Amino acid sequence: MYGIIDCDNCYVSCERVFRPDLKDKPVVVLSNNDGCIVARSNEAKKMGIKAGTPYFQLAQLFPNEKIAVFSSNYELYAEMTGRVVSLISKEVPAYFRYSIDECFVYLEDKNHLDLKKWGEDLHKKINQYVGMPVSIGIAPNKTLAKMASHFAKKYKGYRHCCMIDTDEKRIKALKLYPIGDVWGFGRKNAAKLKSDGIKTAYDFAQLDKEWVTMKYNNINIVRIWQELNGEDVVPNEVMAKKKTICTSRSFNGMIPDFDSLATHVSNYAAKCAEKLRQQGTVTSSVGVFLSTNIFRNDLAQYRNYQEQQLFTPSNSTITIVQAASDVLRKIYQPGFLYKKAGVTVLEIKPDNPIQQDLFDINADQFQKMKRLDEIIDRINRFHGTETIILCSQQYTKKEQTMIEQEQSQTSLEPAGRKQALHNVKTEVFANVIKHDHRSPNPTTRWNDIIKLK
DNA sequence: TCTGGGGTCCTAGGACCC
DNA sequence: TCTGGGGTCCTAGGACCC
């Protein structure tokens, strides 16, 4: 049997742990830059607030409602969900973290137990220790487990854990389940199925397997059919290393000039290098993309993306920042107002052994670079992120002031950049990510504890 | 005025090899 | 008149997930 543990309204629940006054009240959490609504409490969902709604429309759509609003605070969400996973990991022989708020568990060692009771107890434990409400689904395969967790979320009677362990329960669940809600059926596939008169998971599972194979000619759809009929065929994931890594942001405002863009791109590249080192990998291809504001029909539009190969696969900040800057220089066009940029690293491989290029830097220099990165990582871990950065990552004085203001609002830590700010570049429209409603970080910063109400 | 940020996998088609 | 029969690899685009 498989289980899935799914945090209820994850980001909202994280915020509520430190704001118990918001229990039973409508709460929403926004994306970066306070752009869109990405999480909603049950009360907010009931009011009809849709996921993905641009934040600026909220006041227009719901002028008379009192809604608590939070900017996203990923430091807090990572810490809280990490605690949930740490509790889960002590209970099961193996698990797979599927996303920030979902975790599959393998339960083959628990056949002698009352699994339904085990799930209810796990919910209680997570709620008591972390304050996070979760829904648990248990079934003979992952598709049915996901379905069960939806029932656990929807109906109070399940006491947060729903188990599908007999054919009778499976068929009952399938009949109640809209086809579009099945894991793996997105908008397109669901529309196609509906046009064929298939409304529920049961309708689909009743079809002839050969017919489904012929008609849809898609291995994933056939697998879903098999799982709805009780087989266990969706491959088990392992904690795989990422095959591509991307760091990108929309800007708060728009940026016209190359120098400011280059600073942002350098920072994204440095972040990618850090992520590569964290998972013990190197890249041999660095891509950069640029885009103007696609919502502004009144402005000239330009988008581009290019990649550059590295001579030697690398995870060195210096190498990757340099490659990204080179690509940016190629794709940058003056005369546009840019809204978004990002860096992607591809062709990721384990960092040992690395095939070195005959004509590239010698082994000695390579080792020196490696040691430099290790030391920078260590200092940044200990003294706070971005204590040491490359010169090219350094924002202009205006941007720097905004960052410091923001840091002083959210943290009293002494860390932060201490370099002299002599390099004042072109003025830009705006720069630092907007987080007007960000909560404190009492789980990761001592000084934020005193900010709690 | 204001519209997120990540990922994975599959498929078809083309280029190339012998 | 007749014009083979395998392969692999890469890429772009689409669909899906959270």
Side-chain angles (χ1 to χ4, degrees):
Chain A
M1 296 289 269
Y2 293 88
I4 183 153
I5 295 108
D6 188 332
C7 299
D8 296 344
N9 312 329
C10 185
Y11 298 168
V12 167
S13 299
C14 290
E15 298 292 352
R16 272 180 175 164
V17 168
F18 300 97
R19 291 290 304 275
D21 57 304
L22 295 176
K23 188 168 180 270
D24 305 323
K25 306 235 168 79
V27 180
V28 298
V29 178
L30 308 176
S31 65
N32 259 338
N33 265 324
D34 294 347
C36 299
I37 291 167
V38 292
R40 303 155 295 155
S41 69
N42 289 341
E43 299 75 20
K45 286 177 189 170
K46 255 180 223 143
M47 281 170 54
I49 300 175
K50 298 265 179 293
T53 306
Y55 173 46
F56 72 88
Q57 290 177 1
L58 191 65
Q60 301 161 18
L61 294 169
F62 302 92
N64 303 315
E65 322 281 345
K66 229 181 134 187
I67 304 162
V69 176
F70 288 91
S71 301
S72 45
N73 183 348
Y74 289 104
E75 190 171 318
L76 177 68
Y77 311 150
E79 172 66 22
M80 298 298 286
T81 54
R83 291 180 185 196
V84 171
V85 173
S86 140
L87 280 177
I88 292 169
S89 69
K90 295 192 180 97
E91 293 269 338
V92 294
Y95 67 94
F96 166 66
R97 193 166 179 180
Y98 180 64
S99 71
I100 190 166
D101 68 332
E102 283 175 64
C103 192
F104 278 110
V105 293
Y106 308 122
L107 301 170
E108 64 261 30
D109 67 330
K110 294 192 171 24
N111 288 329
H112 58 289
L113 292 179
D114 177 353
L115 282 174
K116 165 89 169 106
K117 168 109 186 4
W118 173 83
E120 288 175 21
D121 289 347
L122 181 60
H123 163 267
K124 269 186 221 156
K125 192 173 189 174
I126 294 172
N127 209 10
Q128 185 189 344
Y129 288 20
V130 188
M132 174 72 72
V134 299
S135 298
I136 300 174
I138 298 173
N141 63 49
K142 294 185 284 300
T143 305
L144 290 173
K146 285 279 274 188
M147 187 180 286
S149 78
H150 282 213
F151 283 109
K153 205 166 286 221
K154 198 163 168 193
Y155 300 106
K156 279 218 154 105
Y158 287 115
R159 296 192 295 276
H160 309 279
C161 176
C162 171
M163 178 156 79
I164 298 175
D165 59 339
T166 64
D167 260 357
E168 200 191 337
K169 287 185 200 169
R170 180 178 64 82
I171 286 162
K172 190 180 157 198
L174 292 182
K175 285 184 174 168
L176 287 168
Y177 212 70
I179 189 71
D181 291 353
V182 173
W183 188 43
F185 282 146
R187 219 182 314 178
K188 296 268 176 165
N189 280 331
K192 204 165 152 190
L193 289 160
K194 274 183 198 159
S195 75
D196 290 336
I198 297 155
K199 293 195 188 72
T200 65
Y202 183 75
D203 296 338
F204 179 66
Q206 286 300 103
L207 297 173
D208 178 63
K209 184 178 172 187
E210 301 308 317
W211 187 83
V212 170
T213 311
M214 291 286 289
K215 165 110 185 176
Y216 296 102
N217 189 29
N218 177 316
I219 191 168
N220 292 318
I221 291 185
V222 178
R223 279 187 185 144
I224 292 168
W225 184 93
Q226 289 175 282
E227 294 231 328
L228 292 178
N229 280 295
E231 292 177 55
D232 174 18
V233 292
V234 171
N236 281 342
E237 330 238 2
V238 276
M239 282 299 268
K241 310 218 188 250
K242 292 197 169 61
K243 294 167 184 168
T244 62
I245 290 173
C246 176
T247 306
S248 76
R249 294 284 178 278
S250 294
F251 309 129
N252 174 20
M254 289 179 281
I255 297 182
D257 68 297
F258 178 82
D259 285 348
S260 294
L261 282 173
T263 309
H264 286 278
V265 165
S266 292
N267 276 290
Y268 306 154
K271 188 51 103 180
C272 286
E274 213 180 298
K275 291 179 189 170
L276 282 169
R277 294 196 291 272
Q278 262 171 27
Q279 62 166 22
T281 50
V282 290
T283 178
S284 39
S285 178
V286 178
V288 178
F289 66 86
L290 260 187
S291 170
T292 51
N293 189 341
I294 56 167
F295 295 102
R296 291 290 297 267
N297 299 324
D298 55 325
L299 297 177
Q301 295 289 320
Y302 172 69
R303 252 185 292 179
N304 207 343
Y305 170 78
Q306 265 187 45
E307 289 165 16
Q308 186 172 102
Q309 294 294 123
L310 302 180
F311 282 121
T312 310
S314 171
N315 56 22
S316 144
T317 298
I318 291 175
T319 308
I320 291 169
V321 166
Q322 204 151 53
S325 303
D326 290 347
V327 178
L328 178 67
R329 204 162 291 121
K330 282 188 208 153
I331 60 176
Y332 172 77
Q333 296 279 350
F336 292 100
L337 294 172
Y338 293 97
K339 180 64 181 171
K340 187 172 181 175
V343 175
T344 307
V345 290
L346 314 96
E347 297 175 35
I348 294 175
K349 300 180 204 85
D351 65 358
N352 203 9
I354 296 169
Q355 180 68 49
Q356 289 204 28
D357 188 280
L358 185 57
F359 304 107
D360 205 5
I361 52 174
N362 61 46
D364 190 41
Q365 211 170 343
F366 184 82
Q367 286 304 323
K368 276 189 190 162
M369 298 259 285
K370 198 172 162 191
R371 264 172 31 222
L372 179 62
D373 279 316
E374 281 164 9
I375 287 167
I376 291 175
D377 283 345
R378 221 162 63 210
I379 292 172
N380 285 339
R381 245 194 327 270
F382 192 77
H383 291 285
T385 172
E386 294 172 6
T387 301
I388 292 191
I389 55 168
L390 300 186
C391 238
S392 60
Q393 287 175 258
Q394 191 172 293
Y395 288 101
T396 61
K397 192 158 191 174
K398 184 182 165 198
E399 293 165 316
Q400 182 72 22
T401 313
M402 289 178 72
I403 290 170
E404 274 164 7
Q405 276 171 359
E406 172 155 342
Q407 278 180 350
S408 69
Q409 277 163 20
T410 56
S411 149
L412 301 175
E413 277 186 22
R417 299 174 194 169
K418 299 197 183 74
Q419 311 91 327
L421 297 167
H422 43 74
N423 183 18
V424 180
K425 297 180 197 154
T426 332
E427 289 277 299
V428 291
F429 286 20
N431 27 57
V432 177
I433 295 172
K434 190 160 85 182
H435 287 295
D436 288 346
H437 310 279
R438 184 141 79 187
S439 53
N441 285 294
T443 59
T444 44
R445 299 176 189 231
W446 288 109
N447 287 319
D448 278 15
I449 293 174
I450 57 169
K451 294 182 187 166
L452 292 178
K453 294 202 174 175

